Amino acid sequence: MNTSPPARIAQQLFKESGLASSREPIETKVVDALLARHYRLGGHLERLATEKDDTFRLRTGTADHLVKVSPPDEAVAVVALQTAAMRHLESEAPHLPVQRVTQTTEGNDNVPIEAKDGGVRVLRVFDFVEGAVLARTNPDPHQLAQVGQMLGRVDLALRSFRHPADERRLVWDLRHFDQLRELIEYTPSAAHRRLAQEVFRLFHEAVVPRLGDLETQVIHGDYSPYNVLVDPRTDSFVTGVIDFGDSMRSALIFDPAVSLANLLGRTPLDPWREACSFVAGYERARPIKDTELPLLPVAALARLTLRALVTHWRAERVPERRDYLLEHARDDWVNVERAMAVALEEVVARLLSTRHGMP
């Protein structure tokens, strides 16, 4: 197993994604003071585990808020992109349950914080969306279709969105997947390395030649079961869409691929069942091109493999987030293996069949 630093392109992607290094968390008293000064908010701050930023739940006694402070190595323009995407959805599709940005008393969307190293971090406040995260529920096929349909509606509303920073480079963007093959060397299990190599082969042969032809737009980028809030007592099932931290301009097909990656293998005897239900719903709102649908299973496998590779690499280098990282990727290799046991031709045929009814 390789223990040396990754090649330059991987290092740069990790850096631009805010995932390159460990750092000291921002002090709670600093956040308290900024909330009082710029939002006239006070209460109990509860720190929440996240991938890279500092996130808190603020309980005021009358209403709860989510408070985020961007990581030191995330560009201010990238944070502005995330906020602008949420503002665009609030304006263009106010009926969608997208988390709202709270303005400061001065009418701004954020508060810049000068870091000790001369950089700038950004504090933002959002409304706190109640509901259970999808990951903690057991949705039926109809409910999964509703979750997919919601992402289709979000993507449809984002179709006209533009921003100066939307071409940001992100390690999670599957446009770069083929260039991250070196991460395989950091995985301790030989069996896992073989699985990863096969996924890279599939992606290189099926998706890479098509990258320049795929439909592109700004996408959510991380519509995972932890960023979708649900309530089975409501007709719509989905009550909240949160965390636009990975928003970027990329291939549209990669947005549902993120969701599918999180659904693969959860039903061991039929590892693509939940994914097919999701796609059936997604296509009700945003049909996938016939030429692109066959790429979706490969992209989903690539995304799941990428998370397994990145998680192991980061868990060894960012110990304060190790538990969070490993929890979210606990079954990734098992699910890759289960999903790859089904022929891709069979999966594509099944996805096509969802257009004529639920699988």
Side-chain angles (χ1 to χ4, degrees), residues 96-131:
L96 297 181
V98 174
Q99 194 169 36
R100 304 297 191 218
V101 183
T102 301
Q103 287 191 328
T104 67
T105 54
E106 301 90 354
N108 300 317
D109 284 335
N110 61 70
V111 177
I113 307 170
E114 291 190 14
K116 295 178 181 178
D117 62 0
V120 176
R121 304 184 68 179
V122 179
L123 180 146
R124 291 175 296 166
V125 176
F126 309 91
D127 59 348
F128 192 91
V129 183
E130 296 290 347

Side-chain angles (χ1 to χ4, degrees), residues 25-37 45 47 56 116 123:
I26 192 168
E27 294 183 16
T28 303
K29 65 180 182 181
V30 173
V31 178
D32 269 325
L34 291 170
L35 291 173
R37 185 184 314 154
L45 275 177
R47 190 181 293 271
F56 305 85
K116 295 178 181 178
L123 180 146

Side-chain angles (χ1 to χ4, degrees), residues 44-358:
H44 174 67
L45 275 177
E46 174 190 355
R47 190 181 293 271
L48 305 178
T50 57
E51 182 186 37
K52 57 183 179 179
D53 53 20
D54 286 289
T55 302
F56 305 85
R57 180 173 183 170
L58 173 65
R59 302 176 188 270
T60 67
T62 55
D64 288 2
H65 302 271
L66 193 73
V67 181
K68 281 183 171 286
V69 180
S70 64
D73 44 3
E74 186 164 71
V76 172
V78 168
V79 180
L81 161 67
Q82 300 161 13
T83 305
M86 298 175 71
R87 287 293 188 196
H88 173 86
L89 290 170
E90 183 179 355
S91 173
E92 295 296 315
H95 54 287
L96 297 181
V98 174
Q99 194 169 36
R100 304 297 191 218
V101 183
T102 301
Q103 287 191 328
T104 67
T105 54
E106 301 90 354
N108 300 317
D109 284 335
N110 61 70
V111 177
I113 307 170
E114 291 190 14
K116 295 178 181 178
D117 62 0
V120 176
R121 304 184 68 179
V122 179
L123 180 146
R124 291 175 296 166
V125 176
F126 309 91
D127 59 348
F128 192 91
V129 183
E130 296 290 347
V133 293
L134 179 64
R136 307 297 185 199
T137 66
N138 293 299
D140 60 34
H142 174 68
Q143 291 169 331
L144 281 169
Q146 289 178 297
V147 176
Q149 187 172 16
M150 181 60 69
L151 178 60
R153 294 167 70 189
V154 169
D155 281 343
L156 197 61
L158 285 172
R159 184 168 54 179
S160 62
F161 176 66
R162 302 285 187 277
H163 190 273
D166 64 22
E167 293 283 0
R168 64 181 294 200
R169 282 162 36 97
L170 193 66
V171 74
W172 299 116
D173 186 353
L174 290 178
R175 290 182 299 175
H176 308 302
F177 179 71
D178 198 49
Q179 300 169 294
L180 295 171
R181 191 181 298 260
E182 184 204 2
L183 292 177
I184 297 174
E185 300 174 23
Y186 296 86
T187 302
S189 166
H192 295 165
R193 292 197 297 272
R194 286 192 294 270
L195 280 174
Q197 287 164 353
E198 177 61 11
V199 173
F200 272 96
R201 183 190 68 80
L202 292 170
F203 190 88
H204 183 80
E205 293 178 0
V207 180
V208 171
R210 298 284 311 283
L211 283 176
D213 304 325
L214 298 178
E215 181 179 0
T216 63
Q217 66 167 68
V218 172
I219 60 176
H220 180 282
D222 192 17
Y223 191 80
S224 78
Y226 288 93
N227 290 331
V228 180
L229 301 175
V230 299
D231 185 347
R233 298 170 298 180
T234 63
D235 292 338
S236 62
F237 187 55
V238 179
T239 59
V241 178
I242 64 174
D243 196 349
F244 283 73
D246 288 350
S247 294
M248 60 194 158
R249 181 170 299 279
S250 188
L252 177 61
I253 195 73
F254 294 159
D255 219 13
V258 173
S259 307
L260 265 59
N262 286 278
L263 297 174
L264 295 183
R266 299 204 314 174
T267 49
L269 297 179
D270 189 0
W272 290 87
R273 187 183 74 190
E274 293 189 337
C276 289
S277 297
F278 181 96
V279 174
Y282 182 88
E283 289 213 281
R284 291 174 193 166
R286 190 80 159 86
I288 299 170
K289 291 182 177 180
D290 291 344
T291 56
E292 297 188 2
L293 187 66
L295 306 181
L296 183 54
V298 180
L301 285 168
R303 173 66 187 221
L304 185 55
T305 300
L306 179 62
R307 185 172 68 182
L309 293 171
V310 169
T311 295
H312 177 78
W313 189 87
R314 289 199 70 219
E316 297 299 320
R317 291 157 179 80
V318 190
E320 72 272 14
R321 297 181 190 267
R322 179 182 176 86
D323 291 344
Y324 172 86
L325 293 167
L326 295 180
E327 167 63 22
H328 279 245
R330 181 180 52 197
D331 300 319
D332 284 357
W333 289 119
V334 172
N335 291 334
V336 169
E337 185 172 23
R338 287 173 178 169
M340 290 183 68
V342 183
L344 287 177
E345 295 81 0
E346 180 183 333
V347 176
V348 173
R350 190 167 174 182
L351 290 175
L352 287 168
S353 74
T354 65
R355 293 174 168 174
H356 308 289
M358 293 297 298

